Structures are given as C-alpha cells and as structure tokens.
Amino acid sequence: MPSTPRSAYLHVPFCRHRCGYCNFSVVADRDDLIDRFLNAIEIEITQVLAQTPCQQLDTLFIGGGTPTHLNPDQLERLLKTLRQHLPLAENAEWSVEANPEDITSDKLHQLRDAGINRISLGVQSFDDQKLAVLQRSHSGPLAQQVIEATANVIPNVSIDLIFAAPNEDLQRWQSDLQTAVRLPIKHLSTYALTFEKGTQFWNQRQRGTLLPVDESAEIEMYDQSRQMLGEAGFDHYEISNFAQPDHQCRHNMAYWLGNPWYAFGPGAAAFIDHHRNVNHRSTFTYLKRIEQGRSPIDESESITAQQAAREAAAFGARLLQGIDLADIERATGWPIIQELQPTLDQLLEQALIQISNTSICLTERGIHFADTVASELLGETH
Amino acid sequence: MTKHLRNFCIIAHIDHGKSTLADRLLEETGTVSIREMKEQLLDDLELERQRGITIKARAVVMKFRRGKDEYELNLIDTPGHVDFQYEVSRALACCEGVLLLVDAFQGVEAQTVANAYAAMEHDLHIIPVINKIDLTHARPDEVAEEMMNSLGTDPDDCVRVSAKTGQGVGKLVDAIIEHIPEPPRDTEAVLQAMVFDSNYDDYRGAITYVRVMQGTVRKGQKIRFLRADTTHDVVELGQFTPHRTACDELSAGQVGYLICNIKSLGDVHIGDTISIPGDGAAEPLAGYSRPKRMVYCGLFPSDGQNFSDLREALERLAVNDPSFEFEPETSDALGFGFRCGFLGLLHMEIVQQRLENESDIDLVQTAPNVTYEIVNKRGETVEIHKPQDVPDPGDVEEFRQPIVRCNIIVPTDFIGAVMKLCQERRGIQKSQEYLAAQRAMLTYDIPLAEVVYDLHDKIKSCTRGYGTLDYEIIGYEAADLARLDFLVNGKRVDALSIVCNRADADRRGRAVAKKLKSEIDRHMFEVAVQAAIGSRVIARETVPAMRKNVTAKCYGGDITRKRKLLQKQKEGKKRMKAIGNVEISQKAFMAVLSEDDS
C-alpha cells in the first residue's frame, strides 16, 4: 500500500438545517463560524502536510454538511486554499457534495472553473411526501431540474437516494428509481434509512411515533434497486453504490481498498502513516483547538499490519467484484489468508461468500449480510 | 439504692416507625444526646439504611435514675421480616415484654399480627403503642379498636406517641417501667445465657450478643457453647451504650456482648446456650434450631474468569451472615457458579444487593426455587435444592413442597380480589376475620413456591398497595409437581428448568417460551424454543432466521466507527452463553422469572 496518501477528504460542517436522521458532524444556522472555519482549515492542512508531505492527489472529496451552503466568496476562498496546498494529478477526481436547493448556474460554473469534475447531489428522493418526512427542503421537481442543469456543466453527476423511509412502500421506491435512471446521472448511492443514536428519528422511534418499515419490505426495496439499476446499465459495485461503466467513485474506492488518505475538518477521519486519526466532532472544539495552536485530533489509533489486513479484507469484501486476499497479504505483509482460513470456511458454509483461489466475494445471499461478513473478517483484533 | 432491669423489644410492620421510636427512647432516657443522634441510630448497616428496614437485631442499654432508683432498660431490636422469624423468636426469648407498635394511620398489618402472636407465644407482656399520632389523618381510636379485635389488647392500655415529635415518649418509658416484669435475678446460679445475635468485626472476630438468664459471666472466664460444644475464653464483655462499652461482668437479666476470639460467625449459632465447661453446666435453653434455607437460586459470573472473585465475595458475605449458604454448582449453559440458599426472598434480595454493592462482578441469576422433597421409588426422601436435580418422572414416588400459612390483611373492598388470587395460587382458606369495619384478615395455606413466584407483588397490585402479607412455614405436602424444561434447538438448557404444578405447566411453558423468543437474537438460522415435561413438548416458539443486515453506507469516517461497533457487538457476544450453536444473552435467563400473563 502506498504510504503517502493519494486521496484527501475535507469536511464542511455547515448546513441550513439538521435533518431528522442525520448524525454527522454538522452545525445548522451558524454561518457566523464559516470565516473562522476557513482560517482553521488552512492552518490544519498546512500542519498536516508539514508532517506528511503531499506529492499528488488522485482524488479529492469535499463533503459535509453542505459545502455548497457557503456563499460564493467563501466557496472561492475554500477552493483556492485546496488548490494551493493540494496538488492534483492529471485526471484526478475532484468531487463536491451539494444540496439541490443551493445549486445555481453561477455556482456550478464557479465549481467547474475551480477544477471540480464530479458532483454528488443529496437528492434522497423525488417524492415530495417522502422528502417532507426526511425533512429535506427541496421538492422532487426541483431536484430533477437541478440534475439536468448540473449535468450540462459538470457531466459526472452522482446522486444519493434513501429508501425504507417511514411510510414508504415498494411502489414509491420504484418510482424514485424510475425517475433516477431517466436523468443524466453517472453514479448512484442508495441506502436504507438508519436510525442513529442522537438523532430526532432515533428518539421518535424509541417513543413509537416513527415506525421503521418492516424487514421484508426493506429487503424487497434493496433487491428492486439492484434489479432496476442493473437493467438501466448501472453496475452494482459496492453494497450501496451503483455506477455506469468507468464511473465508480475513485475516492471511496480508496477507503474500501484500505489505501491511506488525508482528512481535514471537524469529525474528519484520516488514515495516514498507519494511524487512523479522527478530529474532534464538535465544530466549536475543532475551531478552538486550531485557534489555540493545538491539534484537532480527538482520537488517534495506530493500525498494526494485522489490523490493516483485516480491515482491508472486511471493507474490501463490500465490493461486489470481491477482493484478492493475496493482494492484501502482499501490501501488509500479514499472513491473512492462513489466519482467516477457519473464518472463510465458516462463511462459505453459511453460503455468504464464494472463494476462488485467494479471492473472496459475497454471494447473492451474502450481499444481504455484508455486515456479518465484515464482522467475521475483522475478528477480535485490537 | 435499687437497680431495676427491664428487657423488651419493639415489634412493628415496616415503616411504622420502629427505628425512630428507638431513637426517641435513647434521647428520652439520656442515653444519647440529641446532638449525637444520627438518624435511626440502630440500623447500622448501610444497606438497612438504604432500604429503611432493620435486618440485623441489635441491643442497646439505657441507664438512668429516677430518684433513688437506678434503671437499666435493654432494648433488643428485632428484624421485622418473616425471613428472619427464627431470629425474631430468639430475640423475643430474651425479653419480658414487647412494645407492639402500630401506625395510627395504617393500622394493624399482617406482620404486626404475626409478630404479636409470636410475642404471646413467648408469654411476654405486650404494651400496645400507637405511633404517628401527629399525622393529620391519624385515627388512633379506630386503630386501638382494630388492635383489640385482632390482637386482644385493651384500648385503654394503648400508649399514644409520636416518635417523630417525641410526644408521649415519656409516658411510654413510665409504662415500660410499670408494666414489664423485672427479669429473674439469680446471679449465683450456674451461668446460662442465650445467644440471640452476632456480628463480625474485622479486628475482633465474632461479637456474640447474649442475654444472661441466670448466673454471672466475667471477663477472663472460660465458657462453653452447649450446642456447638466449643469452649472459649471471654476476652472482653460489655454492653451497647449504644457503642460497645466494656465492663467486668454481666449477671442474670442483663443483656450485652462477649468477644471470645472466634474467627468465624459460622461458629456462633443463634439460639445456642452459653454455660461453663465441664459436667456442671446449666441446661441448654429450649427453642434452638439451625437456620433453614427455604429459597435457592444459582448465581453465575457473566464472565467465567470471575469465578474465584465471586467465591471470595460470597465467603466474605457468609462470614457476616451465617444463615446464607452456598456451594459450587456447574451448569452446562452458565458454566461454573454457585447454588445459594437463603432464608427467604427478602434475604435473597439483600444478599444479591450486597454482592452488587461490595464487589464488581456482573452476575447471572437463575430463577429462585424452594426446597422440595422427593420420595423416590426406593422409598428414600431426598431434599431438592435445584430443579436440575429432580429425577426422571419414573423414579418419583412422591413430590412434596413446602406449605406456608399466610396472613393477609386487606381493606374489605379488596377481599374478593385477594381470595381469587389465593385460590388461583392453590391456597386453602383457613379463616377470615374482620379487624375493623374496613379491614379483614384472611388466612390461607399456600405452597411457598407460589409465594416465592410472585404472590407478594400480585397482592400489592390487586389491593392498590394496601394489602400486606406475612407467612410462616407449616410443613411439606405432596403435590402434582413436575420439572418443566426448556430446550433451544433441541438442547435442554439446564439453568432454565423450573419445578411447577403440572396443571400450570402449559401456561407457564407457553409464557416462558414466548419470553425467551423475544430475548434471543436472530441467528443465521431458525431457532426453536420449546417447553417440555420429560419428553413431552408442551409449547414451541420460533425465532426466525435473520434475513439481512442494515444496508448502510460505509465511507472513510465510518471505518473506525464501524469497526468499533462491530467489535462491541463481538464483545457482547462473548458474554453470551452458547447453547449448541445458539447464543443466548444473560437477560434471557431471567425470562423464567418474569411472566407476562398470556
């Protein structure tokens, strides 16, 4: 595995509103902090690169929060900072997350002119009722218009769709998928709504005021996505990701393959020099620490060869093409194949994976149990 | 100048203010100044304080003068709960009188009656005391009437006090002096003393609480425990004032303590008689018996590694509480642990709470069961302390269970509900008396197992908390009992077996199977939960196979988080118990304890 990261992630924690299901590191309605944040980011990047110099990046991903929530001047400053400190390779993938309601023609051109060549839109649904349940502030028709408009400027468009929202049935989900495949998108991430501790939805479910859809319906929706998107020419390449040929998200692939990456901003998690460093989740603490000249890192964990190997196997197994354990063994120097043998036998027996030579991949049944498989592959390393 | 002795105890229902009254008596007699007074001085165990009840009996001497007369009043504090009936009876044997304390609002309760009867059996002089007369809703006249109806006391003899404000406490001291007889003072006779309690001091060993019945015991003297047949030197003796205060001798009628270099409380038997070594010893006092454990349960460390820690913790407890016993037990499902015997349910709860407070061991407890007797085909009678030991039906000639006589005092409105409940629990009604226009006492003989199971809770809930229950063991009776087993994917889970009445087996089997189903996580395969008697399956539930994980996204920041989450799940799994290839959480083992009626 390359020891110098060739990927970087930047977390922009600002949002107009916190959605009921969101447990990300986000602050809503605190635009007054944006300038401090832009200062802090520059300091953090400079400090991290001083320790681990950056040669060239193959992928750069601006996520959030809502990066496009920044006004044009703020956005300009951010993009400039990144360009200045993080050299991109030729053909690098530079993505930004955006909310449909923030997209204007000016903003699109601003992003494109700065060098951004991939845009990931937080659409979640095209159904107004479902969008209301999810507390999203755009409408279905607007999302469609925005996708069209975006594709005209930045053709590599990805969208996120959530399924199994409260009260959602298969029919409504099918209609979301139908709309999606008719639109000019190259990539689609889709996942079932999860109820995370510390969110409104979690509390509402605890109180019984919000009912998750039942298990069979959720499985049906997932399988439906695989079928409909497959028919429309999207390759199901990772548990919750679909792409047209040659449009897989290269940035995310780096995560799943166990490659190192930089990460900047509140709550951002980096994998540098065999360490997983997670910044403090609170935007306020993050800012305070940087402003006081302290490290924003809240947790740092050294990853042993064994751990790196097991993580690469566990997260690589989320890729539908599977993963070659021999590659992991070469990259980490850890005898993972031998170590995992009993686990592999068990997973094989449970019909969760297929094995050919040293490669493993999920079976049709295993696709529904990716977490169980990951858990077994991770084992009890500490 | 003459010295007068009075020995008495206070008997009361929980919350009727016994400890507060004791405190006021100490103040009134000048034994303890108000400044020194800690709230409820006599309850010295932290746990007792927490629960607001007295578990261990204590004794305190109150010395004061009235004119030319010197008085020494010994108050022996008794545990209020039925689990400690034997201790109560030994304490009563050391007294000539009792204060029968009743709350001026609550009135007579089941426990009051039980204890009053015990006092009458010991032929003690009873001083009826009505407490809490300062309460707005106090109804002392009605309560005096109730006491007359249920206990036969004279309403005119009732002393009315408020232990809280101190009102009437002076008159109570007068009544104690006037009505409670002086104990016999034969100080020259051969030593004969009753052991009525003991506790353990980390530095001094066992502290033995005694009442000298005749003769005199002196410091440095050799004494003999007649039942235990052990001889010791008296290293120190004294009285509780209320703290230990050493003196040179205790003579007939006096109450105090002995320290004799005894290393374990197990060597001091409550109810034993102390006399002198050799042939000239006095007669042993009557009424001695060994503590009988009526309730058993299994205690297992969640983590097998903690087995020896648990043993140490149990040993420490047993040093302070000889009525608690334990022995190693092995369960296929739970591994190594201990089968523990208790005097009753409250005793069990107290011991568990102490374990939790005093040690940091995560425990799995199995359902409590009573001590059964089985007569096998060879005509032998065997005591059964755990359901797993019940032999196969073919080898059981007779299956016997302990029966208790329950006194239940209820407001008359709830009589119907309580009678229905007792009948459901196989109770046989013995009597029904009206204590007052609004209150009645029902007496039933009921299997102890039913009481242990949930009778007390059920009585509380069907009487809106007003019903009170008290019981005593009256013996064993044959019944149509069976061992009910639970199987998980065909494997019997030994720690879940219970003994129940055959007629209840269907209902309980179904309820527990259902509960287990909800407690067992879904696996990659279907899990069958069955209830069975012998080879006959009487209930079945199925935990369906897991069909999917959550299809969540997983990006950079999620890797650390996700790994931690997965590892936490693994940790949780490690603490689960494996039955074949089925992982069962510890909580599931409590399933048999709580039954949702269905």
Side-chain angles (χ1 to χ4, degrees), chain A residues 108-109 112 119 145-157 184:
Chain A
L108 284 173
H109 285 97
R112 186 192 62 186
I119 190 157
Q145 282 166 27
V146 165
I147 291 170
E148 307 262 7
T150 304
N152 285 330
V153 183
I154 301 174
N156 191 356
V157 177

Side-chain angles (χ1 to χ4, degrees), chain B residues 23 101 140 213 335 381 455 578:
Chain B
D23 291 351
L101 188 66
M213 308 309 267
T381 304
L455 187 68

Side-chain angles (χ1 to χ4, degrees), chain B residues 287-346:
Chain B
Y288 172 77
S289 72
R290 300 301 304 270
K292 186 152 173 58
R293 288 97 194 169
M294 291 315 298
V295 177
Y296 282 79
C297 78
L299 289 179
F300 294 83
S302 303
D303 184 344
Q305 306 275 348
N306 290 335
F307 176 78
S308 49
D309 295 343
L310 177 57
R311 172 162 45 210
E312 276 170 32
L314 292 173
E315 276 165 0
R316 272 199 306 278
L317 279 179
V319 158
N320 267 303
D321 182 356
S323 50
F324 158 67
E325 70 173 10
F326 64 99
E327 60 181 28
E329 176 186 7
T330 315
S331 149
D332 297 339
L334 297 173
F336 294 103
F338 296 94
R339 175 110 309 227
C340 303
F342 309 92
L343 298 174
L345 270 187
L346 179 78

